[in-house]
Amino acid sequence: MSDLFQAARPPMTTEVLTVQPQAPALEALRRAAAILQRGGLVAFPTETVYGLGANALDADACARIFAAKGRPAHNPIIVHVADAASVLPLVAAWPEQAERLAQRFWPGPLTLVLPRSDRVPSIVTAGGPTVAVRVPAHPVALALLRESSLPIAAPSANRSMQLSPTTAEHVVQSLNGRIDLILDGGPATGGLESTVLDLSRQPPVLLRPGLVTVAELESIIGAVVLPMHASAPTAAPLPSPGMLPRHYAPRTPLIAIEGNATDEATRRRAAGQRVACVRFGPSSADALPVERQVDLPGEPAGSAARLYAVLHELDALGLDAILVELPPATQEWLAVRDRLRRAAAR
Ligand code: TXA
Ligand code: MG
């Protein structure tokens, strides 16, 4: 194994190629595709967050993803494809529910977990019987899938346990020198990882809330089961090996608060701490006793689009804590609350 990493060791400084998000240059795509075809690693923008891609059919290439991220081998990877037809060789079943969801939400931020076919290397599925697949909606991701003619295995392009990247600069900060190339196609506009739905079980189970909401899923396929941890912060048997409670975390301790953060901010300031506060919704006039205050929109999609960028920015300030006033405990805020609770878990 170590010989293998030796032979394909990425350059000391990762190359960054800037591309037009809507019309990426063919030259850049060809270069990225060639790297994927020879087993290398390419980070690229999707409509959710940046992904770290490898040829999904090449077990050695996928092993390099785990090495570059420091990702535990028991956490399976999502496979990205250009269209629903390209899923068929990767799965052992394509149920009608999958067909209906694909027609409604692909390309888009929905990942479907299905029984795998034996073409999928077991490292991609972490040895499990299922594979997670999605068609991303970003023109750069789609163009790369088409140019390479490969299914691309791609987790978020960050070191394991760190915040997901929504810009190429975030990827550089996390993975410089560990991967071959970054396609910089500007900020990822969705800002939160895809919704993950397990269709290998009935009724289907929501493994990760995301920008495609439960209400939207249920309008197409009927009842969906929510994961235990989505409705309660306490530990419960986790439905997916990758759904670790602590994930997506900044280095600065993040304190999630139900309700108003003023008391906590005041107490910490009195103790000599430097803290920031993030709030959602119409910004109230009262300024908190904090170094930095960020008011995100009172609307889930708008907040999701900015959340990680704000946390990356606050994390860089080296404060003692980031206080977050959680948005309301309603279904439309499920994904944002889920990520905040994971970031707060220690
Ligand atoms: O938006 C996204 O989904 C981004 C972009 C790059 O597509 N990708 C992403 O990948 O967030 P990652 O690896 O950071 O998260 C994938 C999640 C993990 O929680 C993993 O455990 C779960 O999907 N997953 C992957 N394959 C699975 C499988 N076969 N069964 C159950 N869960 C799976
Ligand atoms: Mg991730």
Side-chain angles (χ1 to χ4, degrees), residues 49-50 69 71 75 154-165 193 208 247-248 308:
V49 300
Y50 271 69
K69 282 181 62 92
R71 184 179 179 99
N75 195 356
S156 52
N158 51 280
R159 298 296 298 270
S160 192
M161 306 306 279
Q162 292 183 356
L163 279 177
S164 287
E193 303 85 350
R208 180 171 72 184
H247 208 146
Y248 317 110
Y308 285 152

Side-chain angles (χ1 to χ4, degrees), residues 64-107:
R64 290 186 191 108
I65 292 179
F66 285 84
K69 282 181 62 92
R71 184 179 179 99
H74 59 75
N75 195 356
I77 308 182
I78 295 173
V79 178
H80 299 68
V81 290
D83 48 43
S86 306
V87 170
L88 299 181
L90 307 176
V91 297
W94 180 249
E96 208 216 316
Q97 288 174 327
E99 176 65 28
R100 291 214 301 270
L101 290 168
Q103 287 204 11
R104 170 67 181 79
F105 296 111
W106 282 357

Side-chain angles (χ1 to χ4, degrees), residues 238-266:
L238 296 169
S240 157
M243 303 309 287
L244 307 172
R246 182 173 182 277
H247 208 146
Y248 317 110
R251 287 180 299 269
T252 312
L254 187 147
I255 317 293
I257 297 167
E258 298 279 5
N260 195 292
T262 309
D263 290 352
E264 186 70 26
T266 306

Side-chain angles (χ1 to χ4, degrees), residues 188-304:
T189 48
L192 277 195
E193 303 85 350
S194 61
T195 304
V196 180
L197 183 71
D198 186 353
L199 286 180
S200 74
R201 294 187 265 175
Q202 287 302 323
V205 179
L206 182 77
L207 296 181
R208 180 171 72 184
L211 294 176
V212 173
T213 64
V214 173
E216 287 178 301
L217 294 174
E218 291 189 331
S219 76
I220 307 293
I221 57 164
V224 163
V225 176
L226 299 188
M228 307 299 289
H229 70 267
S231 52
T234 47
L238 296 169
S240 157
M243 303 309 287
L244 307 172
R246 182 173 182 277
H247 208 146
Y248 317 110
R251 287 180 299 269
T252 312
L254 187 147
I255 317 293
I257 297 167
E258 298 279 5
N260 195 292
T262 309
D263 290 352
E264 186 70 26
T266 306
R267 186 161 44 240
R268 285 174 181 265
R269 167 147 293 189
Q273 289 195 12
R274 296 168 64 243
V275 304
C277 184
V278 179
R279 305 202 281 197
F280 297 84
S283 64
S284 55
D286 58 314
L288 291 167
V290 293
E291 301 295 317
R292 192 70 97 74
Q293 181 174 329
V294 179
D295 292 299
L296 288 172
E299 167 266 317
S303 284

Side-chain angles (χ1 to χ4, degrees), residues 300-316:
S303 284
R306 287 189 51 209
L307 181 65
Y308 285 152
V310 163
L311 293 181
H312 275 286
E313 195 185 308
L314 295 178
D315 203 17

